[in-house]
């Protein structure tokens, strides 16, 4: 190992991309060939350079430093828990290398100022208690809530983003990841909001509202037909070639719908980033996870969500990542190889189905002297033609209510 070098923190190691100048592409350190043609022996060649070839001449540089600041910052390889990662070349005591653009800095400054103006203490570039995560903005909220605001304007892998979120979660941080790209690969993999891609000069003016365009959900339920409350069937796949196509199944659904796609959205008084951050710090917006998809719910909607899912759905005990698990669970935060990168298709609706059931077939009294249909055993007052396990007439929905 090279001597007298300052290794990046755990979080930075897992998100650092590395560019190899001779191959003119980023390396994928998780692959045997590093993601380059005929690269099977490249890792051994790079490792043999240690203590023999100066770091500046090994051909490994940081692509973010090159693209954001026009600087050539050398990098070197570090084996961390059995995984090869890339670290910036800096001497002990030097400040960590920043990957931040002016727009990134402007978002941090704006959120910190707005939070302070609303009575919540905010600190930029605050270290988490365990030292593994560095928060872009730490906001001390109400009732012990610690909010971490993290603008994310550069591409990242979903696995790497989950690893970074894990550092924060284990440190007791409630993160808000802010994406500007509607097609970012990590939308939904962490608690997020999406805001417009604005220039730094606009963001820094506090009187300019920054709209929240995605990430805030509401609970909707109702019949799936043209006269019902839902605008489209959530079980029908979204067709990007025909976005106005609305299919209905005639059943009943309870769904989580992004606020901007809700039937109750009026278009007036839209949610802003400032309002969202302040309400999240005050405990008025709650993060949720459903089927691997993350988002936020207003506190009153959170109660409806609990009624549909039970109090323990997203409160499962998460096992800490053991040292031996890092290879399996936290190593995808490597830059995608240009040889196999595929653009992610734009997503349409982000509705999340909580509960669905088909239409209930309820027989009616036959005109002209037919046999009367018995009433539901659970006392709803409506006829029920279906028999339950006990052989008595009932409705599926009534049984569900009775069992809960």
């Amino acid at each position: 190992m090279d001597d007298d070098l300052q290794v990046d923190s755990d979080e930075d190691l897992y998100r650092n991309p590395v560019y190899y100048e001779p191959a003119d592409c980023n390396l994928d350190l998780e692959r045997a060939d590093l993601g380059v043609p005929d690269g099977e022996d490249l890792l051994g060649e790079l490792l043999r350079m240690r203590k023999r070839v100066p770091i500046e001449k090994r051909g490994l540089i940081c692509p973010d430093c090159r693209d954001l600041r026009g600087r050539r910052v050398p990098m070197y390889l570090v084996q961390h828990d059995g995984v090869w990662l890339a670290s910036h070349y800096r001497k002990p005591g030097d400040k960590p290398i920043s990957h931040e653009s002016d727009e990134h800095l402007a978002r941090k400054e704006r959120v910190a100022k707005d939070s302070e103006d609303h009575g919540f203490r905010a600190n930029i570039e605050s270290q988490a208690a365990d030292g593994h995560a560095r928060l872009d903005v730490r906001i001390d909220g109400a009732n012990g809530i610690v909010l971490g605001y993290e603008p994310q304007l550069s591409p990242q892998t979903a696995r790497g983003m989950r690893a970074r979120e894990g550092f924060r979660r284990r440190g007791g941080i409630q993160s808000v990841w802010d994406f500007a790209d509607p097609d970012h690969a990590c939308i939904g993999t962490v608690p997020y909001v999406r805001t417009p891609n604005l220039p730094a000069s606009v963001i820094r003016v506090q009187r300019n509202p920054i709209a929240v365009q995605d990430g805030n959900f509401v609970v909707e339920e109702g019949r799936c037909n043209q006269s019902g409350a839902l605008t489209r069937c959530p079980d029908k796949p979204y067709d990007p070639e025909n976005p106005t196509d609305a299919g209905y199944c005639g059943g009943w659904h309870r769904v989580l719908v992004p606020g901007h796609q809700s039937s109750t959205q009026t278009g007036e008084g839209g949610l802003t980033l400032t309002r969202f951050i302040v309400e999240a710090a005050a405990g008025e917006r709650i993060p949720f996870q459903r089927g691997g998809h993350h988002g936020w719910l207003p506190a009153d909607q959170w109660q409806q969500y609990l009624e549909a899912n039970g109090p323990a759905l997203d409160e499962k005990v998460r096992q800490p990542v053991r040292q031996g698990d890092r290879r399996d669970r936290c190593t995808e935060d490597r830059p995608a190889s240009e040889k196999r990168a595929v653009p992610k298709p734009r997503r349409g609706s982000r509705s999340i189905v909580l509960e669905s059931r088909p239409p209930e077939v309820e027989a009616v009294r036959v005109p002209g002297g037919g046999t009367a249909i018995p009433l539901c055993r659970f006392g709803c007052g409506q006829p029920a033609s279906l028999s339950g396990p006990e052989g008595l007439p009932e409705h599926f929905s009534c049984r569900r209510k009775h069992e809960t």
Side-chain angles (χ1 to χ4, degrees):
M1 178 59 70
D2 298 291
D3 299 325
D4 299 326
L5 298 176
Q6 180 67 49
V7 180
D8 289 327
S9 67
D10 282 359
E11 180 186 16
D12 287 329
L13 280 174
Y14 278 104
R15 73 173 180 175
N16 284 338
V18 58
Y19 181 85
Y20 186 52
E21 292 174 310
D24 192 26
C25 68
N26 285 358
L27 297 184
D28 185 344
L29 298 179
E30 184 64 13
R31 297 183 59 183
D33 62 357
L34 303 186
V36 299
D38 303 320
E40 288 77 7
D41 299 326
L42 179 57
L43 178 60
E45 179 181 341
L46 291 172
L47 296 180
R48 285 191 293 271
M49 292 183 183
R50 295 187 300 180
K51 295 186 177 182
R52 299 174 55 188
V53 178
I55 292 179
E56 300 91 335
K57 298 182 179 180
R58 297 179 190 174
L60 300 177
I61 66 170
C62 175
D64 287 347
C65 294
R66 178 199 58 191
D67 298 339
L68 295 176
R69 293 183 301 281
R71 292 179 52 196
R72 183 183 183 277
V73 177
M75 304 187 79
Y76 61 97
L77 300 182
V78 177
Q79 191 172 39
H80 190 60
D81 299 331
V83 180
W84 286 107
L85 303 171
S87 182
H88 293 89
Y89 174 44
R90 54 193 178 99
K91 295 295 184 180
D94 290 349
K95 293 182 179 180
I97 301 295
S98 173
H99 296 257
E100 298 174 350
S101 63
D102 194 32
E103 289 75 17
H104 187 106
L105 292 170
R107 287 173 183 265
K108 296 197 305 183
E109 295 166 2
R110 170 68 179 272
V111 167
K113 289 179 181 178
D114 289 346
S115 300
E116 294 275 3
D117 288 347
H118 286 80
F120 296 110
R121 186 175 64 180
N123 295 304
I124 295 178
E125 292 297 326
S126 175
Q127 196 78 9
D130 59 5
H132 290 294
R134 188 175 65 250
L135 309 181
D136 281 337
V137 182
R138 175 193 169 109
I139 303 165
D140 295 326
N143 301 318
I145 294 175
V146 179
L147 205 65
Y149 172 69
E150 308 289 342
Q152 191 61 52
L153 306 182
S154 60
Q156 295 288 337
T157 64
R159 179 70 67 83
M161 188 66 72
R162 284 192 292 267
R164 296 173 62 192
E165 167 64 14
F167 288 131
R168 288 158 174 77
R169 185 179 64 245
R170 290 188 290 275
I173 309 298
Q174 196 173 97
S175 302
V176 180
W177 297 87
D178 184 3
F179 299 99
D181 181 3
D183 298 323
H184 198 288
C186 300
I187 285 181
T189 63
V190 290
Y192 77 102
V193 294
R194 182 171 60 82
T195 56
N197 189 9
L198 301 172
S201 58
V202 174
I203 296 171
R204 287 193 170 99
V205 179
Q206 284 187 276
R207 66 173 178 270
N208 289 336
I210 303 175
V212 171
Q213 299 176 320
D214 197 359
N216 180 62
F217 288 70
V218 296
V219 178
E220 287 194 350
E221 58 184 50
R223 296 291 180 184
C224 187
N225 53 45
Q226 284 188 316
S227 59
L230 303 179
T231 57
R232 62 177 295 112
C233 179
D235 290 331
K236 182 176 181 180
Y238 177 80
D239 183 6
E241 302 298 327
N242 190 14
T244 60
D245 177 36
Y248 301 99
C249 67
W252 181 95
H253 306 287
R254 180 184 281 121
V255 296
L256 292 174
V257 182
H260 66 282
Q261 296 178 353
S262 170
S263 59
T264 60
Q265 178 69 28
T266 62
E268 300 178 358
L271 181 63
T272 64
L273 180 61
T274 298
R275 177 184 164 192
F276 179 90
I277 292 294
V278 170
E279 291 183 353
E284 297 175 8
R285 294 190 182 272
I286 314 296
F288 73 88
Q289 178 184 358
R290 170 76 181 189
H293 190 99
H294 294 255
W296 292 81
L297 283 167
D300 58 338
Q301 297 281 320
W302 174 251
Q303 296 304 318
Q304 295 185 41
Y305 176 77
L306 292 181
E307 291 174 4
N309 298 280
L313 179 65
D314 292 326
E315 301 299 327
K316 298 176 181 177
V317 177
R318 295 182 175 94
Q319 297 296 328
V321 179
R322 299 175 299 166
Q323 300 291 73
D325 291 339
R326 289 189 182 272
R327 174 175 294 276
D328 298 325
R329 301 181 63 181
C330 297
T331 58
E332 193 181 312
D333 192 17
R334 303 270 46 83
S337 168
E338 285 82 356
K339 307 302 179 185
R340 60 190 176 97
V342 178
K344 191 176 183 66
R346 181 166 184 153
R347 284 175 269 191
S349 171
R350 302 188 197 279
S351 297
I352 303 170
V353 180
L354 298 178
E355 181 184 2
S356 294
R357 61 174 180 263
E360 296 172 352
V361 181
E362 298 184 358
V364 296
R365 187 184 300 272
V366 179
T371 304
I373 304 299
L375 298 180
C376 175
R377 60 175 294 217
F378 294 111
C380 69
Q382 299 296 321
S385 59
L386 299 178
S387 298
E390 296 85 359
L392 300 175
E394 63 178 42
H395 298 123
F396 174 77
S397 57
C398 293
R399 169 170 284 278
R400 286 290 305 274
K401 293 178 181 178
H402 178 74
E403 291 176 347
T404 55

